[in-house]
């Protein structure tokens, strides 16, 4: 299994500011994903973080709002830009390894926007 | 559109009792079905994963079943414990894709 850490674990931010969330994995992985989980809802995929190229965004999510970096096979960042209260959610990093057929999730970052 | 429906939405049971959670899906072509447990404020943790040819899989007190013909799965929890209180999420994978379709989860509360 993969051990995933996220920073920060939680944050309270002001409207209009931006927050960058970090995801670190203890081993090299092929696929890394970013999800959003709004209160009382299940997980929604934001994008697939591609190493060495631009992220692949799902419908309804755009790079200007959620820029993603993936400089190597163990690390990725997600930025939530120009935040509004509607961005208040848990943001989760997930990975799929080379020889595994399951996805492992990080502990999540709980974001509250005032 | 691929969908995963879970029932019940929430459930309260007494400690020591058994319970069964349901999952119906429309994902096609099917690759695998996963059950995750998500404690409040934590990320989901995988309990079981089943492919097309597997009918049942156990992980301790958790037993998952899969009927690929009717596109139904269940998660049975035996001799429930307080620590089983969590959201249980059914997730289905489409063949050829890494993206997943998530159910909304069943919120289980085990009461002493």
């Amino acid at each position: 299994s993969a051990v995933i850490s996220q920073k920060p674990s939680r944050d309270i931010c002001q409207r209009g500011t931006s927050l960058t969330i970090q995801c670190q994995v203890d081993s090299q992985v092929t696929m890394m994903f970013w999800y959003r989980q709004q209160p009382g809802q299940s997980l929604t995929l934001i994008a697939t973080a591609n190493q060495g190229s631009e992220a692949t965004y799902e419908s309804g999510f755009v790079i200007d709002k959620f820029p993603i970096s993936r400089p190597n096979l163990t690390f990725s960042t997600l930025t939530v830009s120009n935040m509004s209260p509607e961005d208040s959610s848990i943001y989760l990093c997930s990975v799929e390894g080379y020889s595994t057929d399951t996805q492992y999730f990080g502990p999540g970052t709980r974001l509250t926007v005032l | 559109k691929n969908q995963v429906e879970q029932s019940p939405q929430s459930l309260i049971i007494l400690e020591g009792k058994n319970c069964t959670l349901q999952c119906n899906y429309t994902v096609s072509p099917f690759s695998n079905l996963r059950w995750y447990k998500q404690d409040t404020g934590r990320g989901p943790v995988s309990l079981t994963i089943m492919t097309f040819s597997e009918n049942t899989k156990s992980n301790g007190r958790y037993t998952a079943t899969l009927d690929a013909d009717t596109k139904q799965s269940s998660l049975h929890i035996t001799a429930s414990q307080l620590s089983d209180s969590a959201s249980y999420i059914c997730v289905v994978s489409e063949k050829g894709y890494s993206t997943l379709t998530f159910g909304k989860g069943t919120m289980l509360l085990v009461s002493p």
Side-chain angles (χ1 to χ4, degrees):
Chain A
S1 65
V3 178
I4 306 167
S5 60
Q6 286 186 232
K7 289 182 183 179
S9 58
R10 59 176 61 223
D11 206 343
I12 301 174
C13 301
Q14 294 297 320
R15 181 195 299 261
T17 62
S18 297
L19 176 72
T20 295
I21 302 168
Q22 298 180 4
C23 176
Q24 180 74 53
V25 192
D26 68 341
S27 58
Q28 293 186 339
V29 293
T30 50
M31 309 288 284
M32 291 183 79
F33 308 92
W34 286 98
Y35 288 86
R36 181 174 72 182
Q37 186 175 29
Q38 293 180 305
Q41 302 295 315
S42 192
L43 284 76
T44 300
L45 180 64
I46 297 172
T48 302
N50 301 309
Q51 196 265 327
S53 64
E54 200 169 276
T56 306
Y57 289 84
E58 297 299 304
S59 175
F61 298 96
V62 296
I63 187 171
D64 290 345
K65 176 67 176 176
F66 297 102
I68 287 171
S69 79
R70 188 167 176 202
N72 57 52
L73 293 176
T74 63
F75 185 79
S76 178
T77 67
L78 168 75
T79 299
V80 186
S81 303
N82 188 24
M83 289 183 285
S84 67
E86 291 71 35
D87 294 320
S88 297
S89 278
I90 298 173
Y91 291 86
L92 296 132
C93 171
S94 171
V95 306
E96 190 170 281
Y98 283 106
S99 59
T100 182
D101 53 6
T102 193
Q103 280 192 12
Y104 300 97
F105 288 85
T109 295
R110 183 179 293 272
L111 171 62
T112 302
V113 184
L114 302 177
Chain B
K1 182 183 176 182
N2 289 334
Q3 287 187 311
V4 175
E5 301 285 343
Q6 291 188 243
S7 62
Q9 189 174 26
S10 62
L11 181 63
I12 302 174
I13 61 172
L14 290 175
E15 185 179 9
K17 298 296 186 182
N18 304 335
C19 68
T20 301
L21 314 180
Q22 302 290 343
C23 173
N24 297 336
Y25 63 92
T26 62
V27 177
S28 182
F30 174 84
S31 177
N32 59 65
L33 184 146
R34 315 154 190 223
W35 282 95
Y36 284 88
K37 177 187 179 189
Q38 185 176 23
D39 292 311
T40 301
R42 312 287 288 269
V45 174
S46 179
L47 294 175
T48 63
I49 178 169
M50 288 185 291
T51 58
F52 185 88
S53 59
E54 295 175 298
N55 299 118
T56 185
K57 183 167 279 190
S58 292
N59 178 1
R61 294 180 296 102
Y62 301 102
T63 299
T65 65
L66 173 64
D67 186 334
D69 292 330
T70 61
K71 298 186 177 180
Q72 295 180 328
S73 176
S74 66
L75 180 69
H76 187 74
I77 304 175
T78 304
S80 61
Q81 300 176 358
L82 298 179
S83 60
D84 292 331
S85 296
S87 178
Y88 291 84
I89 305 172
C90 177
V91 185
V92 182
S93 172
E94 186 177 349
K95 198 168 188 176
Y97 295 90
S98 291
T99 53
L100 308 174
T101 303
F102 288 79
K104 290 187 176 181
T106 292
M107 180 63 69
L108 173 66
L109 176 62
V110 180
S111 175

